[in-house]
Amino acid sequence: MIKKSLCVALSGLILGAAAVAAPLELETQGSFAIGGSVVQKQGTFSEDHFLSPEGQKAYGDHAYVFFQIPVDPNKYPIVFQHGGDQTKRTWESTPDGRDGFQNIFLKKHYSVYLIDQPRMGEAGLSTVEDNGNNTWSGNPLYQDQTFFRLSRVGDKNGVFKNSQFPNTLEAVEAFQRSWNPYSGPLDNNVNAKSLAKLFDKIGPSILMTHSMGGTIGWRTPFYTKNVKAIVALEPGGTPFLFPEGQVPTQEKTKVAILGGAAEGVSLQNSKKLTEIPILLIYGDYIPDQPSEAAGPDKWRSELAMARKFVKAVNDHGGHAELIHLPEIGIHGNSHFLMAEKNNQQLAQLIENWLKKNNLAGK
């Protein structure tokens, strides 16, 4: 009887563990390039000058897309747009090896599409030479302290106290090895047009952006009708969009070029942002007043501009919301919300918003 009871108990434990760690079931997965352009070099190709560019074509400016579709997927896929000097790796495993948003939302039965934007990562081909205006193009990339502080992970003393960022030497090194230089000039409209072609290919979907990917997200509905909603994690570093004639001034920051920027677009285009629900989420360590710390002060300015953006969208009949996590009792998050110890909680916060807007489920 004891042996039988033990077997039953062990069976229960095994079944319970299986239920907790159920494997992912995929219908399919794959990758492809989308968008882009081709430039022809004048002249005639000759094998006598095999490596010469004359008479050859340069292909580039496309996006690279990796996708996974689960068995019995939800109605709307999620397309993930990374931020500046990043790639689709942003959404994969966290710096300490846990599930990133890719797997978290896949396990919630969303099809996931991760992109490398044109001239980045696995979409590194460009038809235009780098113009030298981007500080973060080319190697070596001597920016570890810059990125660490701009991302509000920490300061000269290391990772901020009580941070949600995984505070180990291995995690910080993984974070530093996630950066990727640009292989051509940054062109937000080129990026948005390639992203729009993806939406045209896969149909109505949700767009999730991070950081400098924010302005690419704002522009994408200008070129496609298939963006059902935008979730923007700490958009900034590139301009927020406002109707022409209604562009607010940029707040002064400790480092002038880091302030939250704004750009005017036609009223016709700006109205397209009023037709879809939009959610912006910002983390912690953003001061209320000007600060001598360049990274936090930058995000003070970005958050202020984000609030103006939300107001402008809603003043024109839109449905934009902004969540500043400390204001709802969630503390310790850096700029990389999707990579931190509470990323499951934040993913659930996002899904609750999707449910509220009838964008979740089958």
Side-chain angles (χ1 to χ4, degrees):
M1 287 295 293
I2 293 175
K3 184 180 288 187
K4 184 176 180 180
S5 298
L6 182 60
C7 288
V8 170
L10 287 173
S11 297
L13 286 172
I14 293 169
L15 288 172
V20 171
L24 284 169
E25 292 187 88
L26 298 180
E27 184 68 38
T28 187
Q29 67 177 17
S31 62
F32 54 88
I34 196 154
S37 55
V38 179
V39 177
Q40 176 79 48
K41 184 76 171 179
Q42 291 183 344
T44 302
F45 174 74
S46 169
E47 291 205 1
D48 294 333
H49 304 282
F50 198 68
L51 301 181
S52 173
E54 275 70 27
Q56 300 203 63
K57 296 176 181 177
Y59 290 76
D61 308 335
H62 52 267
Y64 170 85
V65 183
F66 174 75
F67 69 92
Q68 293 177 300
I69 299 175
V71 173
D72 193 25
N74 292 339
K75 183 177 181 180
Y76 297 118
I78 301 179
V79 175
F80 293 89
Q81 162 69 51
H82 61 78
D85 283 89
Q86 287 282 304
T87 65
K88 62 185 177 61
R89 183 175 177 177
T90 290
W91 309 104
E92 298 172 352
S93 297
T94 65
D96 58 340
R98 293 170 295 107
D99 278 350
F101 271 22
Q102 173 187 357
N103 278 359
I104 291 173
F105 281 96
L106 194 58
K107 289 176 180 179
K108 293 176 180 289
H109 286 272
Y110 293 90
S111 298
V112 297
Y113 290 79
L114 281 65
I115 75 160
D116 281 353
Q117 72 186 41
R119 305 170 183 172
M120 296 287 288
E122 293 189 74
L125 292 173
S126 174
T127 64
V128 184
E129 292 184 13
D130 176 56
N131 54 20
N133 293 331
N134 192 334
T135 305
W136 299 312
S137 62
N139 283 307
L141 199 60
Y142 293 110
Q143 297 287 343
D144 70 317
Q145 286 297 316
T146 300
F147 289 144
F148 189 76
R149 299 180 191 213
L150 275 183
S151 300
R152 306 191 321 281
V153 172
D155 56 21
K156 64 181 180 181
N157 298 313
V159 173
F160 286 136
K161 185 178 179 181
N162 299 321
S163 173
Q164 294 285 355
F165 190 90
N167 188 9
T168 65
L169 292 176
E170 294 79 9
V172 171
E173 178 160 337
F175 167 77
Q176 294 291 8
R177 292 189 182 279
S178 72
W179 301 99
N180 193 91
Y182 294 81
S183 61
L186 176 63
D187 189 321
N188 291 314
N189 287 316
V190 165
N191 296 337
K193 288 176 181 177
S194 289
L195 192 53
K197 287 183 181 294
L198 173 60
F199 278 84
D200 286 343
K201 179 182 177 72
I202 66 177
S205 304
I206 299 154
L207 175 58
M208 192 177 301
T209 70
H210 178 236
S211 193
M212 288 177 69
T215 202
I216 300 171
W218 312 141
R219 295 165 199 269
T220 302
F222 300 171
Y223 308 110
T224 180
K225 295 181 179 179
N226 282 337
V227 178
K228 295 295 294 183
I230 298 175
V231 177
L233 305 184
E234 295 220 346
T238 45
F240 288 89
L241 304 183
F242 294 82
E244 289 175 337
Q246 302 177 36
V247 179
T249 57
Q250 178 177 317
E251 292 195 14
K252 292 182 178 180
T253 52
K254 177 178 173 59
V255 180
I257 63 170
L258 296 180
E263 181 181 319
V265 296
S266 69
L267 185 60
Q268 179 183 3
N269 274 342
S270 67
K271 281 190 173 181
K272 292 177 181 177
L273 293 174
T274 70
E275 297 169 358
I276 57 175
I278 297 174
L279 175 65
L280 292 75
I281 305 177
Y282 286 85
D284 209 339
Y285 311 112
I286 301 176
D288 296 327
Q289 302 296 324
S291 170
E292 287 300 305
D297 198 52
K298 165 192 168 57
W299 288 105
R300 174 190 61 81
S301 174
E302 298 283 11
L303 179 56
M305 189 64 77
R307 294 191 191 280
K308 294 173 184 176
F309 169 78
V310 168
K311 184 178 186 302
V313 170
N314 292 339
D315 283 349
H316 287 83
H319 312 279
E321 299 178 45
L322 188 150
I323 296 175
H324 186 200
L325 293 174
E327 294 176 4
I328 63 170
I330 299 176
H331 298 277
N333 285 105
S334 78
H335 181 51
F336 279 80
L337 306 170
M338 74 294 285
E340 302 192 292
K341 291 182 286 188
N342 63 340
N343 66 348
Q344 293 275 2
Q345 179 187 22
L346 301 183
Q348 189 59 53
L349 179 72
I350 292 167
E351 188 177 40
N352 290 344
W353 181 83
L354 293 175
K355 289 177 179 177
K356 184 178 73 170
N357 287 280
N358 298 314
L359 295 166
K362 312 300 182 205

